[in-house]
Amino acid sequence: MNKGVTSMNDDENELFKNNFKKFMLLLESNGYNYTLYDIQSSNNRNSNDIQLTKVDNSLYDNVIIFPILKASLKKGSSASENKSILSSKNLLSFFNNYNGNLMIITSPHINNADSLINLLNEFGIFPSPKNQIVKDLFQNKDTLLVSSSNLLNKYVYSVDNDTVYFNLGESSVARLDNREQLVPILKSSKTSFIDTTQDKNFEPWVTGSQGYLITGFQGVNNNARLVWVGSTNLIDESAHDINKNLVENLVNWNFNAKSVIKTLKSRHYHANTKLTYDELNYKINDVIRYEIDITEWDGSQWIPFTAEDIQFELRQVDPYYRINLTRILDNETNNNTFARYTTNNFKLPNRHGMFKFLTEYKRNGLSTIKDEDIKAIRHLAYDEYPRSWEITNSWVYLTANIVVISLFITFVILFLTNTNVTTVKKNN
């Protein structure tokens, strides 16, 4: 059961629960416990009691932040900038150091809190200012409808059959940086635009499909995930039925209950004898074999992860080999919880030194796996070098030596055994 904290700003908790009752039920049905906090309420308990971490331990797995009315959380309020659980410093620490997942929901009608803007900017997400509302008159004049064809990541959510539409009501839009960790999820349509009727003194934040209505971010080393949603209408009661599948998949991906893979075990050994490195150290030109087990969480259990683009690298400084891994279909475990991949047999390079046996798999929207093992590959001992006749380039020289020696011996034998000596008798 996952833990979670939801920050909200409604004056009445009951009003909040009524607006997002089905969303809360969706969280419960997926196994998430939650606690509601109104961080701006004067009746709320002291902000020192509201913490994300305590004694180097995380108190929550996930945090959902709803729109905050105040543009900044000033000192002296129940959530001062230095002590607030929503300060950018605290949230960054929760994400980076404690593997915490964040969902930040904003509204185009409210100025976003400075701490949240700074946090999103740190991740390369730049939401539009207040009153910049996305509309698409080709779909609907009153509310923003977005086609499922604008979904960008199959690991978060994809629609295989007919096209469906999601109701985002009134939504903000964001520009994105070009960093690899960003996971764009839902982009605006080509026919969308920024409505300027409320404030004509600004330039549109984006135009057409340049903007993103929902986007994610995944940590480099810890696989923690952040999701930004530009509209509260995505999860409120009015559009729950049409958005349910999208919201459920979005929450499960955000909270690391979907598209999560990991390695169970990796091994490498001599191909012929099946002796491991500890039993018989590797030397140059040895033939070895590498195998790795990878599993995927499907929401309820671990199952084999299937892919055709997993690669193994043998590195020193740069990769000496980059080999596509192939799945072994008849692995000995036969328990249907993981898939075993292998490089098949390959020869180590003719170079000694420290080498890294590395499998690193990064795909946008899928958790990252990195399995590495550093081993020394030694040079040949003096008695392990091939003899001269085993070196084919030496054959011409060896043949020449043998011929010369053979001719010399033949000459000596013929010279010593030749008896045709003529003697001349001397006459007086």
Side-chain angles (χ1 to χ4, degrees), residues 155 218 223 225 253 256 258-262 295 361-369:
Y155 295 115
Q218 182 165 274
N223 283 322
R225 291 169 174 172
W253 182 86
N256 270 294
K258 181 181 180 180
S259 298
V260 176
I261 61 175
K262 67 177 182 179
T295 184
Y361 190 69
K362 295 181 179 179
R363 295 296 180 270
N364 194 265
L366 193 65
S367 61
T368 301
I369 59 173

Side-chain angles (χ1 to χ4, degrees), residues 110-331:
I110 298 175
N111 282 322
N112 296 314
D114 295 338
S115 60
L116 296 185
I117 290 296
N118 294 335
L119 175 70
L120 291 172
N121 293 168
E122 287 283 344
F123 291 109
I125 303 172
F126 303 92
S128 57
K130 180 181 178 181
N131 292 329
Q132 295 217 15
I133 303 173
V134 184
K135 288 192 175 183
D136 188 349
L137 300 181
F138 285 87
Q139 300 297 340
N140 191 289
K141 295 182 179 181
D142 301 323
T143 186
L144 179 63
L145 297 180
V146 183
S147 169
S148 58
S149 61
N150 292 326
L151 290 169
L152 300 175
N153 196 290
K154 64 179 181 179
Y155 295 115
V156 179
Y157 183 55
S158 62
V159 178
D160 298 329
N161 300 323
D162 297 334
T163 300
V164 298
Y165 287 87
F166 309 117
N167 186 350
L168 275 73
E170 294 183 333
S171 176
S172 301
V173 67
R175 295 197 301 246
L176 300 183
D177 205 342
N178 59 353
R179 61 191 69 185
E180 295 180 356
Q181 295 78 22
L182 283 169
V183 184
I185 297 173
L186 183 67
K187 68 177 181 179
S188 55
S189 61
K190 294 181 180 180
T191 54
S192 63
F193 65 98
I194 301 295
D195 185 12
T196 59
T197 56
Q198 296 188 29
D199 187 355
K200 299 182 179 180
N201 297 322
F202 65 80
E203 295 182 359
W205 196 244
V206 295
T207 57
S209 57
Q210 296 176 340
Y212 298 87
L213 306 170
I214 305 174
T215 189
F217 184 97
Q218 182 165 274
V220 179
N221 299 319
N222 59 4
N223 283 322
R225 291 169 174 172
L226 173 142
V227 166
W228 171 81
V229 179
S231 171
T232 57
N233 298 120
L234 179 73
I235 61 172
D236 66 14
E237 298 296 285
S238 61
H240 176 80
D241 294 336
I242 190 172
N243 297 332
K244 179 181 178 181
N245 291 335
L246 172 61
V247 172
E248 184 172 17
N249 282 273
L250 187 66
V251 168
N252 286 329
W253 182 86
N254 189 186
F255 296 165
N256 270 294
K258 181 181 180 180
S259 298
V260 176
I261 61 175
K262 67 177 182 179
T263 59
L264 298 179
K265 184 180 180 182
S266 64
R267 66 198 69 80
H268 45 84
Y269 51 86
H270 291 271
N272 297 329
T273 61
K274 294 189 177 182
L275 296 177
T276 64
Y277 177 86
D278 295 331
E279 296 169 329
L280 179 62
N281 292 349
Y282 298 153
K283 63 180 183 296
I284 61 175
N285 296 325
D286 276 353
V287 178
I288 67 170
R289 185 183 182 97
Y290 175 90
E291 295 176 353
I292 187 170
D293 301 336
I294 305 178
T295 184
E296 178 183 10
W297 181 252
D298 70 346
S300 59
Q301 62 181 350
W302 292 101
I303 61 173
F305 174 71
T306 302
E308 298 179 352
D309 56 351
I310 307 175
Q311 290 187 329
F312 161 81
E313 289 185 357
L314 182 68
R315 288 187 181 181
Q316 194 171 48
V317 178
D318 295 323
Y320 267 84
Y321 294 126
R322 185 176 285 121
I323 304 173
N324 286 333
L325 296 175
T326 56
R327 183 177 177 183
I328 303 175
L329 298 178
D330 55 345
N331 61 67

